């Protein structure tokens, strides 16, 4: 028994030291990307500063303008409507997120309260209806800015957004 233990310890030590020797013999440092290739670097990480957010927004605006063939006035009005929609829908989306979390926490309890679950699902449904109403009103407002061709293209882009994002399309 003692002999098996000693042999096992020797083999483990041999393997450990061989790995250390192999790692130590690698005298060239790992290649790093040149600055500027992978994005702006700051203390918070790659491209995560406030200026990166504005750069993404500007890129999105330019893509939207090009895809829909928007005039400058249409683009400005569309962005104004979009900001208003997101400001108005933010509390509804946050409430839905909180309710879904509460539902999940209640559902995984050892003895979940069925009445509480029913109440939470009903409240989630009400918030979903509210969000759908806000989205419908936002699309109506956009239809006053865009012509029929642009509106059709926007709805196609909206339908394809998730498919492209999650490789479903």
């Amino acid at each position: 028994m003692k002999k098996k233990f000693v042999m096992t310890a020797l083999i483990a030590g041999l393997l450990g030291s061989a790995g250390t020797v192999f790692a130590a013999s690698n005298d060239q440092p790992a290649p790093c990307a040149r600055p500027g290739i992978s994005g702006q670097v700051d203390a918070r990480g790659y491209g995560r500063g406030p200026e990166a957010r504005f750069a993404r927004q500007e890129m999105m605006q330019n893509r939207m303008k090009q895809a829909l063939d928007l005039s400058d006035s249409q683009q400005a009005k569309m962005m104004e409507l979009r900001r208003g929609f997101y400001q108005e829908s933010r509390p509804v989306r946050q409430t839905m997120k909180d309710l879904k979390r509460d539902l999940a926490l209640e559902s995984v309890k050892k003895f979940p309260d069925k009445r509480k679950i029913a109440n939470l699902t009903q409240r989630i449904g009400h918030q979903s209806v509210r969000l759908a109403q806000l989205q419908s009103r936002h699309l109506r407002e956009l239809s006053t800015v865009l012509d029929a061709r642009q509106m059709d293209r926007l709805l196609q882009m909206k339908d394809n957004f998730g498919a492209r994002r999650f490789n479903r399309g």
Side-chain angles (χ1 to χ4, degrees):
M1 178 77 178
K2 192 173 186 180
K3 190 173 184 177
K4 283 184 182 180
F5 178 74
V6 171
M7 288 301 289
T8 304
L10 283 173
I11 291 173
L14 181 64
L15 290 175
S17 63
T20 306
V21 169
F22 177 73
S25 69
N26 190 0
D27 60 347
Q28 292 186 352
C32 295
R34 292 190 324 263
I37 288 179
S38 56
Q40 183 178 3
V41 179
D42 61 8
R44 292 175 296 273
Y46 292 97
R48 293 190 177 208
E51 51 282 334
R53 180 176 150 228
F54 294 122
R56 285 190 306 270
Q57 286 177 347
E58 186 176 328
M59 182 177 66
M60 173 75 170
Q61 290 174 5
N62 289 335
R63 284 184 184 171
M64 188 74 71
K65 182 176 181 175
Q66 185 178 20
L68 298 177
D69 193 27
L70 299 174
S71 67
D72 290 337
S73 63
Q74 281 180 314
Q75 182 184 19
K77 183 65 177 171
M78 191 172 167
M79 292 313 298
E80 178 186 326
L81 290 173
R82 203 165 156 219
R83 282 189 189 101
F85 168 71
Y86 282 110
Q87 284 296 102
E88 195 171 1
S89 66
R90 179 180 288 150
V92 177
R93 287 182 281 122
Q94 184 62 49
T95 301
M96 280 184 65
K97 182 179 175 183
D98 294 343
L99 289 170
K100 286 180 179 182
R101 177 165 173 71
D102 292 344
L103 177 64
L105 291 173
E106 185 63 33
S107 297
V108 298
K109 286 183 178 177
K110 190 169 186 170
F111 300 106
D113 183 353
K114 291 182 181 180
R115 276 190 266 162
K116 187 172 182 180
I117 289 174
N119 182 22
L120 287 168
T121 55
Q122 188 175 31
R123 290 172 59 195
I124 290 170
H126 288 301
Q127 292 301 315
S128 182
V129 167
R130 178 72 180 128
L131 185 59
Q133 291 169 340
L134 291 172
Q135 289 170 337
S136 175
R137 191 182 77 211
H138 176 61
L139 288 173
R140 264 195 321 273
E141 291 171 348
L142 284 176
S143 70
T144 63
V145 176
L146 304 176
D147 63 29
R149 181 186 57 79
Q150 291 170 325
M151 199 65 205
D152 285 343
R153 179 68 180 131
L154 177 68
L155 292 175
Q156 284 178 348
M157 290 168 63
K158 186 179 178 301
D159 288 343
N160 293 331
F161 180 73
R164 212 173 2 125
R165 187 174 188 185
F166 297 108
N167 296 325
R168 290 182 290 184

